[in-house]
């Protein structure tokens, strides 16, 4: 399959389906034509084609109805690759089409109040009861839970073995009795996230993804995809957060100081070197030589975003704040909000999707080959761990 | 435009690295720096057998007709070895100054039979190209004055002296090597006193220095890579508190940050090769100079007491990194240039 084949398929598809008609019908038809994600297998929205050909499809269909990348982010970026890798044929057939079209929104039930960086120590229990599992526990940092039809869930099914081995991965029905979603207010004033309380939630065994006890391995697939999604880089020189800081700098000559000028230029250079690494990484991926550089991108962008947004507040000498109202936010409207909001929201960049400290551990152990810290929790049954 | 290495570049890298591993291990460099720092036997092999001296010179002028990408890879390897050879000073800076003149000397430089040095202070920059030079030319075409901080002058057969937009070739002028911070690339003061000179052609010194600064970033990458690799190996071996010190997060996190700096230095260096614009050069020059110094300083610290001794080669790299930070513009000089290049004007500027 090459670019010409893809172009032909897109042309044939557009002849039969009017992009100006019903949006949902169009997206369903696009999925059925294998033009949703071309690297997925045939019959599951793809053509079994090389992944880089997706950009050809996106280019050709740029003027047709698009997905909601914000609301669907967890479904598309995390649930879908995991279902593809570990789901049964029946699960793939049931979930992937409405996930892709956005008819069903997904959320993620991983982190808990007592299990953040050390996710494998999570305590939400799933107990088998015939053909069902009964789930009890509390999850947190769940964006989009109030829209979600389904969730990807990791729960403890065996407390008597060491923590990594007693986990199982499920698809959780967010409409099931016992699922309670409460907004969680952040330092910005709004609530992007939720707490999710699971009380006696019954899930049938055909909602299990992967083997019983294999949940940690399944979750790794999800988390790798999360970090790739979060590490995305601006592709234009001086773009992203830098663009908004520089435009404020140009608009307010009366606020400039020499000390701020030095700092801004140093940040500009760091942002550009970071952007170039992202560009080089993309070239490596396209050439089929993925490098370990990706592990560092999220770390670099978190630091840059935090320094730049902090710089912006200081430069503008802005003692105000645009809006503290407690409301649910559907998407992160980073550039539509004031500098104070951006500063506070960017604080989450070094926490969400793996803290910067955990990322440094991953780089030093997996890329640099440094030994791990001595671990006291690896061979101890989960139920005997101090907590 | 690509930020990756080509197959040709990788092959060249592997020949240079093989030769340097054999002939120029850090212990050998350390042994010679106080007596005769320049390794001219090694240079003969690099120039003659591998052919690095003529990389930037077109084939019709006797060179290899390669490009800055190949020269950059050689510089990465020479940086990794702090190899005391005049590649950067003769085959990059002097050669680049001479190229627009198409002078016959280029053929001799390409073969490595002779070497040249650009009689410009290593502390000059594309933004202040005359820094450190007081040379003037009189009506008879004779040169007078001094240039301080000239790198590679001590091994050069010919000095190329830019004066008022022209380039002059001088042979046999007095060159006084001064005790230098960088032991593996010492600098010298060059003195002219009504010295006869041959006018070679026109010379845009700022452009030459900008080209040099872009490529120096690749040498700085090599310096940083050696420091990082050597430190990683050390912290895996060195035990304290009954553990390898590389298992402590306080150490691991610092190394992860340094690795990320080096990853970005590689991208910046390749970008300055692929696109030699003033912006790309200023980014690579300011970022990589800082990274090389930072990684060398951390390498010393993480080696503990042994890092402070003369017998461990890390000081050669620290000295190279610190001197190269000044060479062809400090990081601050390059950042200041970016202010107008990318539209981040200073207070009071438009």
């Amino acid at each position: 399959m090459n670019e010409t084949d893809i172009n032909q398929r897109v042309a044939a598809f557009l002849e039969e389906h009017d992009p100006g008609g019903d949006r949902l019908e169009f997206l369903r038809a696009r999925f059925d034509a294998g033009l949703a994600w071309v690297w997925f297998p045939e019959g599951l929205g793809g053509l079994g084609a090389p992944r880089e050909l997706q950009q050809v499809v996106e280019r050709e269909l740029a003027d047709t109805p698009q997905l909601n990348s914000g609301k669907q982010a967890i479904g598309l970026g995390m649930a879908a690759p995991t279902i593809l890798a570990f789901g049964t044929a029946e699960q793939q057939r049931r979930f992937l089409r409405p996930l892709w079209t956005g008819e069903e929104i997904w959320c993620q039930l991983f982190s808990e109040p007592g299990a953040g960086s050390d996710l494998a120590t999570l305590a939400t229990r799933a107990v088998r009861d015939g053909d069902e599992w009964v789930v009890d526990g509390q999850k947190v940092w769940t964006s989009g839970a109030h829209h979600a039809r389904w969730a990807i869930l990791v729960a403890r099914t065996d407390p008597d073995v060491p923590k990594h081995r007693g986990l199982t991965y499920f698809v959780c029905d967010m409409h099931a009795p016992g699922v309670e979603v409460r907004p969680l207010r952040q330092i910005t004033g709004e609530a992007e996230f939720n707490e999710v309380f699971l009380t006696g939630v019954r899930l049938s065994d055909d909602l299990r993804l992967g083997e019983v006890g294999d949940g940690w391995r399944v979750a790794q697939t999800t988390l790798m995809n999360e970090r790739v999604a979060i590490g995305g880089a601006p592709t234009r020189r001086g773009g992203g957060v830098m663009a908004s800081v520089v435009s404020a700098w140009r608009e307010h000559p009366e606020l400039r100081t020499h000390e701020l000028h030095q700092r801004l230029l140093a940040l500009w250079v760091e942002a550009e070197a970071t952007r170039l690494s992202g560009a080089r990484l993309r070239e490596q991926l396209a050439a089929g030589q993925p490098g370990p550089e990706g592990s560092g991108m999220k770390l670099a962008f978190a630091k840059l975003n935090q320094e730049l947004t902090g710089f912006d507040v200081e430069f503008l000498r802005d003692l105000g704040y645009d809006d503290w109202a407690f409301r649910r936010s559907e998407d992160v409207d980073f550039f539509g909000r004031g500098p104070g909001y951006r500063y506070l929201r960017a604080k989450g960049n070094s926490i969400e999707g793996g803290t910067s400290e955990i990322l440094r551990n991953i780089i030093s152990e997996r890329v640099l080959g440094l030994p791990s810290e001595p671990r006291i929790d690896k061979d101890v049954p989960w139920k005997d761990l101090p907590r | 435009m690509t930020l990756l290495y080509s197959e040709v570049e990788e092959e060249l890298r592997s020949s240079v690295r093989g030769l340097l591993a054999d002939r120029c291990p850090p212990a050998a460099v350390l042994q010679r720096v106080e007596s005769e720092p320049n390794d001219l036997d090694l240079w003969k092999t690099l120039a003659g057998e591998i052919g690095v001296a003529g990389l930037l010179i077109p084939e019709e002028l006797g060179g290899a007709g390669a490009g800055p990408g190949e020269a950059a890879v050689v510089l990465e390897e020479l940086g990794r070895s702090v190899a005391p050879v005049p590649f950067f000073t003769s085959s990059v800076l002097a050669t680049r100054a001479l190229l627009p003149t198409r002078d016959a000397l280029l053929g001799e430089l390409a073969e490595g039979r002779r070497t040249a040095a650009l009689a410009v202070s290593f502390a000059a920059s594309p933004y202040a190209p005359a820094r450190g030079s007081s040379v003037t030319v009189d009506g008879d075409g004779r040169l007078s004055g001094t240039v301080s901080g000239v790198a590679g002058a001590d091994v050069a057969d010919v000095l190329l002296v830019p004066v008022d937009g022209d380039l002059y070739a001088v042979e046999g002028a007095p060159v006084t090597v001064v005790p230098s911070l960088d032991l593996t690339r010492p600098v010298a003061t060059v003195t002219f006193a009504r010295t006869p000179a041959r006018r070679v052609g026109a010379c845009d010194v700022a452009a030459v220095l900008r080209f040099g600064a872009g490529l120096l970033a690749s040498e700085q990458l090599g310096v940083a890579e050696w420091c990082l690799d050597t430190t990683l190996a050390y912290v895996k071996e060195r035990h304290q508190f009954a553990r390898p010190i590389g298992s402590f997060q306080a150490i691991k996190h610092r190394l992860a940050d340094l690795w990320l700096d080096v990853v970005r230095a590689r991208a910046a260096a390749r970008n300055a090769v692929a696109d030699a614009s003033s912006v790309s050069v200023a980014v690579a020059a300011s970022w990589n100079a800082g990274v090389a110094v930072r990684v060398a300083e951390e390498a010393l610290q993480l080696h503990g007491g042994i890092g402070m001794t003369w017998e461990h080669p890390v000081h050669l790299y620290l000295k190279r990194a610190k001197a190269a930070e000044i060479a062809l513009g400090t990081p601050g000089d390059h950042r200041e240039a970016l202010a107008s290049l990318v539209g981040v004007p200073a207070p009071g500027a438009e």
Side-chain angles (χ1 to χ4, degrees):
Chain A
M1 178 107 20
N2 58 29
E3 187 162 344
T4 315
D5 301 331
I6 296 281
N7 277 324
Q8 283 169 357
R9 279 178 187 261
V10 172
F13 170 72
L14 284 175
E15 256 175 44
E16 286 187 25
H17 301 277
D18 174 16
D22 182 72
R23 175 179 177 277
L24 200 51
E25 284 308 321
F26 182 84
L27 290 175
R28 285 176 180 156
R30 181 176 159 186
F31 185 93
D32 296 338
L35 297 171
W37 29 39
V38 295
W39 70 97
F40 272 48
E42 287 187 46
L44 295 175
L47 299 167
R51 187 166 183 159
E52 59 264 26
L53 290 177
Q54 183 68 23
Q55 59 193 20
V56 179
V57 179
E58 298 303 333
R59 193 176 60 221
E60 296 299 313
L61 294 178
D63 298 327
T64 66
Q66 298 294 308
L67 305 182
N68 183 332
S69 56
K71 257 178 153 176
Q72 291 181 250
I74 288 171
L76 295 169
M78 301 170 72
T82 313
I83 292 168
L84 182 66
F86 292 97
T88 62
E90 174 53 32
Q91 288 168 332
Q92 292 171 344
R93 204 162 41 242
R94 164 64 187 85
F95 292 123
L96 289 175
R97 189 172 184 254
L99 180 158
W100 188 83
T101 60
E103 288 164 82
E104 293 178 347
I105 298 300
W106 288 68
C107 66
Q108 180 195 15
L109 298 174
F110 278 27
S111 294
E112 298 180 2
S117 290
D118 184 11
L119 180 66
T121 198
L122 62 85
T124 292
R125 289 278 280 121
V127 178
R128 186 136 200 176
D129 181 20
D131 282 344
E132 289 185 321
W133 295 84
V134 182
V135 182
D136 286 277
Q138 182 186 349
K139 296 287 182 176
V140 73
W141 311 128
T142 314
S143 48
H146 50 298
H147 299 297
R149 176 67 187 82
W150 302 103
I152 42 179
L153 164 73
V154 186
R156 185 156 308 279
T157 44
D158 186 353
D160 297 323
V161 295
K163 61 181 186 179
H164 290 95
R165 284 189 253 151
L167 300 171
T168 303
Y169 200 115
F170 297 93
V171 170
C172 178
D173 179 353
M174 292 297 286
H175 292 175
V179 176
E180 188 198 347
V181 177
R182 295 185 202 159
L184 181 61
R185 197 178 188 192
Q186 293 154 241
I187 62 170
T188 54
E190 62 182 17
E192 274 172 63
F193 300 106
N194 299 280
E195 298 176 288
V196 178
F197 296 83
L198 305 166
T199 313
V201 177
R202 301 189 81 85
L203 302 177
S204 73
D205 188 53
D206 58 18
L207 289 174
R208 174 166 50 79
L209 213 53
E211 297 303 313
V212 174
D214 205 24
W216 183 250
R217 193 165 68 91
V218 182
Q220 290 308 305
T221 301
T222 310
L223 294 174
M224 285 313 291
N225 281 287
E226 178 177 35
R227 286 177 195 139
V228 170
I230 289 176
T235 50
R236 194 170 56 79
R237 191 168 82 191
V241 185
M242 180 59 75
S244 82
V245 175
V246 167
S247 92
W249 179 269
R250 287 175 188 155
E251 279 165 31
H252 295 284
E254 76 285 2
L255 294 176
R256 296 178 200 155
T257 68
H258 288 286
E259 188 269 344
L260 287 169
H261 191 228
Q262 299 303 315
R263 275 163 56 196
L264 182 53
L265 289 170
L267 286 167
W268 197 94
V269 169
E270 182 170 351
E272 175 63 359
T274 307
R275 183 190 71 85
L276 290 167
S277 307
R280 188 161 189 274
L281 182 66
R282 276 192 293 277
E283 273 196 68
Q284 286 174 291
L285 290 172
Q289 320 157 349
E293 286 83 353
S295 328
M297 286 294 102
K298 177 179 178 288
L299 188 57
F301 280 110
K303 174 173 172 280
L304 271 169
N305 281 351
Q306 292 174 349
E307 291 187 11
L308 279 167
T309 53
F311 178 95
D312 207 16
V313 173
E314 186 183 342
F315 169 66
L316 293 167
R317 298 181 190 242
D318 186 354
L319 294 171
Y321 189 82
D322 55 3
D323 186 3
W324 290 118
F326 178 19
R327 69 165 76 84
R328 281 191 186 280
S329 52
E330 301 302 331
D331 296 309
V332 180
D333 184 15
F334 203 71
F335 295 109
R337 294 286 304 268
Y341 171 86
R342 285 195 287 277
Y343 169 68
L344 295 173
R345 180 59 187 83
K347 288 288 149 221
N349 293 166
S350 53
I351 302 169
E352 58 204 354
T355 65
S356 290
E357 287 69 26
I358 290 294
L359 292 177
R360 288 187 181 96
N361 282 353
I362 290 173
I363 290 168
S364 54
E365 289 172 23
R366 300 198 195 149
V367 181
L368 305 180
L370 292 172
S372 60
E373 294 257 358
R375 298 278 296 269
I376 56 159
D377 58 347
K378 266 190 159 164
D379 303 311
V380 179
W382 176 81
K383 64 176 169 40
D384 298 329
L385 289 175
R387 65 174 64 82
Chain B
M1 180 180 128
T2 174
L3 301 175
L4 305 182
Y5 297 102
S6 70
E7 271 180 45
V8 174
E9 286 166 353
E10 290 294 9
E11 279 167 28
L12 178 61
R13 178 201 301 287
S14 116
S15 347
V16 174
R17 186 178 289 194
L19 177 71
L20 293 173
D22 186 33
R23 300 266 299 274
C24 190
V29 180
L30 196 53
Q31 205 168 19
R32 66 179 311 133
V33 283
E34 286 184 287
S35 49
E36 174 43 65
N38 297 294
D39 190 343
L40 294 180
D41 284 341
L42 175 65
W43 176 238
K44 201 174 281 175
T45 312
L46 272 169
E49 288 174 25
I50 300 186
V52 301
L55 285 175
L56 293 175
I57 298 172
E59 287 178 35
E60 69 269 21
L61 297 176
E70 284 86 348
V73 170
V74 172
L75 283 166
E76 284 183 29
E77 294 307 311
L78 295 176
R80 284 183 85 99
S81 294
V82 284
V85 293
F87 177 77
F88 185 69
T89 51
S90 180
S91 314
V92 175
L93 280 183
T95 294
R96 173 64 183 74
L98 210 49
L99 273 177
T101 70
R102 302 177 71 82
D103 192 83
L105 177 58
L106 284 165
E108 295 182 86
L109 296 184
E111 290 171 18
R113 278 194 284 130
R114 308 184 83 196
T115 61
L118 186 66
V120 168
S121 171
F122 225 31
S125 74
Y127 325 111
R131 187 196 303 272
S133 171
S134 65
V135 181
T136 55
V137 60
D138 64 20
D140 304 332
R142 288 166 180 261
L143 306 184
S144 297
T146 61
V147 193
S148 60
V150 181
D154 50 339
V155 284
D157 303 302
V158 185
L159 292 174
L160 297 173
V161 195
V163 189
D164 299 336
D166 286 321
L167 192 66
Y168 296 86
V170 174
E171 296 185 37
V175 169
T176 314
V177 177
V178 300
S180 304
L181 176 62
D182 184 355
L183 295 166
T184 53
R185 188 157 56 206
V187 293
T189 300
V190 182
T191 309
F192 306 102
R194 290 192 45 76
T195 308
R198 174 173 72 90
R199 183 182 173 278
V200 187
C203 180
D204 178 353
V205 197
V208 175
L209 299 184
R210 179 173 299 116
F211 179 80
L215 283 180
L216 189 61
S218 287
E219 189 193 275
Q220 289 162 326
L221 169 63
V223 167
E225 284 178 340
W226 183 90
C227 291
L228 180 61
D229 291 352
T230 304
T231 307
L232 284 169
Y234 182 72
V235 301
K236 289 175 194 174
E237 290 298 316
R238 170 76 173 170
H239 280 64
Q240 291 286 276
F241 307 100
R243 292 160 58 178
I245 60 169
S247 68
F248 289 97
Q249 287 190 341
I251 307 280
K252 291 160 78 167
H253 286 191
R254 280 160 73 168
L255 287 162
D257 285 337
L258 293 177
W259 171 81
L260 184 54
D261 285 348
V262 172
V263 162
R264 293 183 284 183
R266 190 173 300 119
R270 289 321 281 177
N271 187 55
V273 167
D275 159 40
S277 68
S278 301
V279 173
S280 300
V281 168
V283 167
S286 60
W287 179 258
N288 289 26
V291 169
V293 170
R294 191 152 60 242
V295 182
E297 289 176 348
E298 286 285 78
L300 194 154
Q301 173 66 21
L302 294 175
H303 275 80
I306 184 74
M308 198 61 198
T309 63
W310 189 271
E311 71 175 271
H312 194 284
V314 70
H315 65 98
L316 299 177
Y317 290 82
L318 177 67
K319 291 162 187 172
R320 168 65 67 86
K322 197 62 188 170
E325 185 185 41
I326 300 164
L328 310 181
T330 64
D333 293 338
H334 292 290
R335 286 195 293 265
E336 203 174 294
L338 282 170
S340 55
L341 291 170
V342 302
V344 182
E350 279 314 304

